[in-house]
Amino acid sequence: DYTQAILKANAKLKTDGGGTLIFPAGNYKIKPSQIFIPSNVKWLGNGTARIYSQETSLYNVLISTENGSKNIEIDNIIFDQRDDSAQTPNVNIWKGAFLLHIANSDNIIVRNSTFYTYGVCAILSQSNYTTPTNTIGIYNNKAYFQRKTDTDYDVSVFNIDGRNVYVENNYIEGIEVTAFKTWKPRTAYEV
């Protein structure tokens, strides 16, 4: 469980007013809904940095930006929503599960990252419409979506809500997207 280590590193970056948090190659298990990336921070994967939840249900969010944060870069990190043991889709994920939640922020760049998404969203930029995400860039990412069991999901791999949105050179692949109980996948991108 790397949750506490990442929380401490994030707190140090916030105290210092920014910086770069480098993840060496490895698998980083974290608890969902606890890590919030502050302003002026760059998350950088070095080698294969794979971040995934240690819990069996990702009802909430794996990682969020702090509300009102700005100038964040996420580069070359693998976000993995698969179970850590069986490496199969997690049947317990319910609506509201997403890997990266960008909350009412500004100048957020996500590039060169890979998402194994088995819930609703790989990236969700959620706005309250009074302080929406201002500028967000999604560049050169890969997302692999899969559902095999009966589900009730309304799916958008990238759901981006902001004033200035830049989406370029991303790759999305659906793998065995079958057996949707109620809704069908809506779109790969929803901007």
Side-chain angles (χ1 to χ4, degrees):
D1 180 2
Y2 287 86
T3 307
Q4 292 302 315
I6 296 174
L7 287 172
K8 290 178 181 178
N10 255 344
K12 182 69 165 66
L13 292 174
K14 187 173 182 179
T15 301
D16 292 348
T20 301
L21 180 57
I22 299 175
F23 294 84
N27 293 332
Y28 297 84
K29 292 185 180 182
I30 68 171
K31 295 179 181 178
S33 302
Q34 295 193 32
I35 295 178
F36 296 86
I37 305 175
S39 296
N40 305 311
V41 166
K42 182 173 183 178
W43 272 31
L44 177 63
N46 183 6
T48 303
R50 186 187 304 267
I51 298 176
Y52 59 98
S53 171
Q54 66 168 21
E55 298 188 5
T56 57
S57 178
L58 291 176
Y59 172 77
N60 290 307
V61 57
L62 191 57
I63 293 170
S64 291
T65 61
E66 286 187 347
N67 199 353
S69 59
K70 60 183 180 179
N71 303 326
I72 293 175
E73 293 184 33
I74 297 175
D75 196 342
N76 197 33
I77 292 178
I78 297 175
F79 294 86
D80 198 342
Q81 204 174 51
R82 296 175 294 185
D83 289 339
D84 57 341
S85 56
Q87 296 292 294
T88 57
N90 188 332
V91 298
N92 296 318
I93 302 172
W94 188 237
K95 292 186 290 183
F98 33 85
L99 293 172
L100 180 60
H101 180 206
I102 298 170
N104 306 323
S105 303
D106 185 25
N107 194 25
I108 311 299
I109 304 297
V110 183
R111 63 165 69 93
N112 304 319
S113 293
T114 302
F115 298 87
Y116 293 96
T117 176
Y118 296 90
V120 178
C121 291
I123 296 178
L124 176 67
S125 172
Q126 188 171 0
S127 168
N128 64 10
Y129 302 107
T130 57
T131 55
T133 298
N134 189 27
T135 300
I136 178 172
I138 309 296
Y139 306 115
N140 305 317
N141 300 288
K142 295 180 180 179
Y144 300 92
F145 176 81
Q146 181 174 6
R147 287 306 307 184
K148 289 183 178 179
T149 58
D150 285 348
T151 60
D152 262 338
Y153 302 127
D154 194 2
V155 175
S156 298
V157 177
F158 295 109
N159 188 320
I160 305 167
D161 185 355
R163 290 193 175 104
N164 303 289
V165 178
Y166 302 90
V167 181
E168 297 178 4
N169 300 320
N170 298 289
Y171 174 82
I172 297 176
E173 181 175 336
I175 308 169
E176 297 186 52
V177 184
T178 61
F180 279 80
K181 186 185 298 183
T182 306
W183 297 300
K184 299 297 181 182
R186 195 163 45 186
T187 178
Y189 297 98
E190 183 162 354
V191 180

